[in-house]
Amino acid sequence: MSSTTNPDPVPSAPAFIPLEANPELMTKLIHKLGVSPALALHDVYSLTDPDMLSFIPRPALALLLVFPITAVYESSRMAEDNTIDEYRGTGSQEPVVWWKQTIRNACGMMGLLHAVSNGPARNLIEQGSILDTLLQKSIPLAPRDRSVLLEKTPEIAAAHKEAASAGDTSPPDAQDDIDLHYVCFVKGNDGALWELDGRRKGPIRRGDLPENEDMLSERALSLGILKFLEREGGDLRFSAVALAGSLD
């Protein structure tokens, strides 16, 4: 079966406990990995109401969407992925850093890694931390080798397990099949909006953004997250969190 038809990790792959979309829990996790306390995750209660958006510190450096993998979504994904080749980018000149997901139920961790490793957030990773070490080793590697490195980094697995076990709801088993998935939107070094999803063939450039626009700007939302909502129609199983400055 091709990776376009079924991009999920194989059943025998390592598995994580699914991560709850809980900003407080996620914030503790990124801090444990080495992100500065100056950054935090925040609930996004509305994508269109300016008053609700005003509660989120700006600029928003990344936006994480949690959404259901429906038949409609899979049809759209396969149609787009059939038109592109597998990503093979490496090195410090990449506009974004991207990992292929090869760990089952790790989409929450993948989303967070993509959020904090790209754009201005990368400058707020503490030197010598778990995440700093992972990035330094990952950037020169091809995507498949990055995935192998991630699988063999026990500090990532341990931090994820601690966070996923501490949610507000009883966590599912690592071997469970979960139909909710995380995708991350960031602004790359090239000034463009990028969609980063470990189930895809690579990072996807969604369009240019003016220098003064962040992930919650009208154009960024229209190019990215709002397209999901438009395609899925009445399905309300969506939530979003933004990476931005801490309120503490």
Side-chain angles (χ1 to χ4, degrees):
M1 185 177 292
S2 75
S3 62
T4 300
T5 304
N6 183 9
D8 295 320
V10 297
S12 60
F16 281 1
I17 300 169
L19 186 66
E20 184 179 294
N22 178 321
E24 181 180 356
L25 180 154
M26 291 173 147
T27 297
K28 290 179 180 178
L29 175 53
I30 65 170
H31 290 169
K32 187 176 185 67
L33 294 177
V35 176
S36 166
L39 291 180
L41 280 304
H42 305 269
D43 272 317
V44 180
Y45 294 111
S46 173
L47 297 165
T48 55
D49 184 336
D51 290 336
M52 297 297 288
L53 288 172
S54 69
F55 289 106
I56 302 171
R58 305 293 284 271
L61 305 183
L63 190 60
L64 286 167
L65 172 68
V66 187
F67 66 98
I69 299 179
T70 63
V72 172
Y73 170 75
E74 285 293 81
S75 177
S76 173
R77 177 194 62 76
M78 286 190 287
E80 185 172 40
D81 280 0
N82 275 325
T83 67
I84 59 178
D85 295 326
E86 292 281 351
Y87 182 70
R88 292 182 171 82
T90 63
S92 59
Q93 299 307 308
E94 292 177 284
V96 289
V97 179
W98 175 80
W99 284 269
K100 179 72 174 177
Q101 183 183 338
T102 57
I103 301 171
R104 293 180 60 202
N105 293 331
C107 60
M109 174 61 85
M110 304 303 294
L112 287 175
L113 288 178
H114 287 142
V116 301
S117 300
N118 288 291
R122 193 194 298 184
N123 299 325
L124 292 171
I125 296 172
E126 296 170 354
Q127 189 173 3
S129 64
I130 296 170
L131 186 54
D132 179 54
T133 302
L134 176 68
L135 273 171
Q136 296 304 320
K137 292 180 178 179
S138 294
I139 288 173
L141 300 177
R144 288 186 179 276
D145 294 327
R146 287 179 185 174
S147 297
V148 171
L149 175 64
L150 191 58
E151 288 183 25
K152 295 182 178 180
T153 303
E155 296 88 350
I156 295 288
H160 183 279
K161 183 177 181 180
E162 179 181 337
S165 301
D168 290 335
T169 59
S170 179
D173 188 82
Q175 301 298 330
D176 287 353
D177 290 325
I178 306 298
D179 69 346
L180 292 176
H181 186 63
Y182 287 74
V183 63
C184 179
F185 295 94
V186 300
K187 195 172 190 177
N189 296 335
D190 59 350
L193 174 70
W194 287 83
E195 179 181 326
L196 304 178
D197 180 350
R199 290 184 83 240
R200 305 302 295 267
K201 286 187 171 181
I204 303 170
R205 194 180 193 274
R206 291 304 187 193
D208 294 316
L209 292 176
E211 185 175 349
N212 63 340
E213 293 197 11
D214 67 357
M215 291 301 96
L216 290 176
S217 71
E218 185 176 345
R219 177 166 171 78
L221 291 171
S222 66
L223 288 171
I225 194 171
L226 290 179
K227 287 191 179 297
F228 278 81
L229 302 179
E230 180 182 351
R231 181 177 57 234
E232 296 297 328
D235 197 319
L236 300 178
R237 292 179 298 158
F238 289 85
S239 59
V241 293
L243 177 69
S246 173
L247 294 174
D248 296 336

